[in-house]
């Protein structure tokens, strides 16, 4: 497997970076461009920017902040939120994004995955999955950026990731909602189940609180590990994290 990736996640609302706990009670975490530059300098492998209310509000991403970010960083970054059409995806890529992450719009219209993969390549298409446990199984929620709009999609997580990758999604970001923002560790059994179900890279998300949590995700087979709170609040430094993981025999980009 290629070197594992450390991926800070930046939730965006009204052009600012915010952070919540289990998708609620968001607080301001700084200017979007300043945060992008900070993570570039600290050695992040990639960045993900989620406009958390775009899908629920039925609007497209703000291309201005994508352009501003693309001008100042030289590491890959994905954008997410409200990408509902092929042309909206094209506009984001033309503004400087490297990947398109789609979640609720893909649940609404799964053919969107095929359209994006056909025109831009599967490597550009990331499926975001907000997964919650119920009755001993896992299911997908949508519109998670807005507590008032959040709802069950009616889709079982493993069924959805298999369908989405068959349609052309080239990567899965699995966000385990129960663990989001609480720093108790990734949901390793669920992450491993998704890894075993699909043939594309899987990014673990939701719950990172210590270097051991990242190691557990990588040992389970995750291609990357996404986190927000521990990086935004400087509880874990990315260079030190990479050194510790490398000392455990996990290949990291230096």
């Amino acid at each position: 497997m290629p070197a594992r990736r450390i991926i800070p996640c930046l939730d965006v609302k009204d052009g600012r970076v915010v952070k919540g706990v289990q998708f609620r009670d968001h607080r301001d975490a700084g200017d979007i461009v300043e945060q992008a530059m900070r993570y570039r300098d600290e050695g992040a492998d990639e960045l993900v920017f989620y406009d958390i209310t775009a899908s629920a509000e039925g609007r497209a991403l703000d291309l201005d902040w994508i352009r501003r970010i693309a001008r100042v960083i030289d590491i890959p970054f994905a954008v997410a939120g409200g990408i509902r059409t092929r042309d909206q995806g094209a506009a984001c890529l033309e503004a400087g994004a490297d990947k398109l992450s789609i979640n609720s719009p893909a649940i609404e219209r799964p053919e969107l995955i095929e359209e994006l993969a056909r025109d831009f390549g599967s490597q550009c298409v990331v499926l975001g999955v907000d997964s919650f446990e119920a009755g001993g199984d896992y299911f997908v929620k949508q519109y998670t950026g807005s507590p008032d709009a959040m709802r069950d999609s009616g889709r079982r997580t493993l069924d959805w990731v298999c369908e989405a990758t068959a349609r052309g999604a080239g990567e899965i970001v699995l966000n385990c909602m129960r663990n989001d923002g609480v720093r108790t560790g990734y949901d390793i059994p669920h992450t491993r189940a998704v890894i075993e179900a699909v043939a594309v890279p899987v990014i673990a998300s939701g719950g990172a609180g210590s270097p051991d949590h990242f190691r557990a995700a990588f040992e389970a087979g995750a291609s990357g590990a996404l986190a927000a709170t521990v990086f935004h609040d400087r509880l874990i430094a990315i260079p030190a994290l990479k050194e510790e993981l490398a000392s455990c025999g996990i290949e990291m980009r230096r």
Side-chain angles (χ1 to χ4, degrees):
M1 180 179 284
R4 310 304 174 93
R5 292 171 282 159
I6 300 297
I7 308 173
C9 170
L10 298 92
D11 289 345
V12 180
K13 184 177 182 181
D14 301 324
R16 299 282 295 178
V17 178
V18 298
K19 185 67 190 88
V21 175
Q22 295 180 332
F23 293 76
R24 298 176 182 272
D25 302 322
H26 290 92
R27 58 181 169 83
D28 189 275
D31 176 77
I32 189 170
V33 174
E34 290 177 1
Q35 290 279 24
M37 293 172 66
R38 169 196 158 191
Y39 287 124
R40 172 203 66 189
D41 294 343
E42 290 181 0
D45 296 301
E46 296 181 14
L47 297 176
V48 179
F49 296 89
Y50 287 102
D51 186 324
I52 62 172
T53 59
S55 289
E57 294 174 356
R59 59 175 174 81
L61 281 167
D62 182 351
L63 299 178
D64 179 64
W65 61 254
I66 298 176
R67 295 188 188 98
R68 289 164 57 210
I69 292 165
R71 283 196 290 266
V72 299
I73 67 173
D74 55 2
I75 57 175
F77 71 95
V79 296
I83 301 171
R84 284 186 164 81
T85 69
R86 178 260 179 218
D87 288 347
Q88 288 175 342
C92 292
L93 295 174
E94 289 168 3
D98 298 281
K99 296 180 180 180
L100 306 171
S101 184
I102 52 176
N103 188 330
S104 296
I107 295 170
E108 296 167 5
R109 192 172 68 86
E111 294 79 11
L112 174 63
I113 301 170
E114 299 171 61
E115 293 165 6
L116 296 176
R118 177 196 65 213
D119 287 358
F120 310 124
S122 290
Q123 79 283 351
C124 285
V125 184
V126 181
L127 182 77
V129 180
D130 295 324
S131 186
F132 72 102
E133 186 177 6
D137 204 347
Y138 287 85
F139 300 87
V140 181
K141 280 192 183 288
Q142 58 189 129
Y143 308 127
T144 54
S146 171
D148 294 333
M150 190 186 309
R151 70 187 190 198
D152 297 348
S153 71
R155 289 180 174 270
R156 182 171 174 264
T157 300
L158 290 183
D159 293 340
W160 176 226
V161 298
C162 289
E163 177 183 344
T165 54
R167 288 179 179 272
E171 187 168 273
I172 303 292
V173 173
L174 178 69
N175 193 31
C176 300
M177 296 181 65
R178 180 184 60 186
N179 299 45
D180 181 74
V182 298
R183 305 203 300 271
T184 56
Y186 298 106
D187 185 334
I188 298 302
H190 186 34
T191 301
R192 185 180 291 113
V194 171
I195 291 168
E196 292 173 354
V198 300
V200 303
V202 175
I203 309 300
S205 175
S210 74
D212 284 345
H213 296 156
F214 289 85
R215 184 176 69 177
F218 292 139
E219 289 177 347
S223 174
L226 184 149
T229 303
V230 293
F231 297 144
H232 294 342
D233 293 347
R234 302 181 186 272
L235 303 176
I236 295 177
I238 293 174
L241 173 62
K242 286 189 169 186
E243 289 294 333
E244 183 166 343
L245 292 170
S247 73
C248 298
I250 297 170
E251 185 177 353
M252 307 300 301
R253 295 186 180 94
R254 304 299 182 91

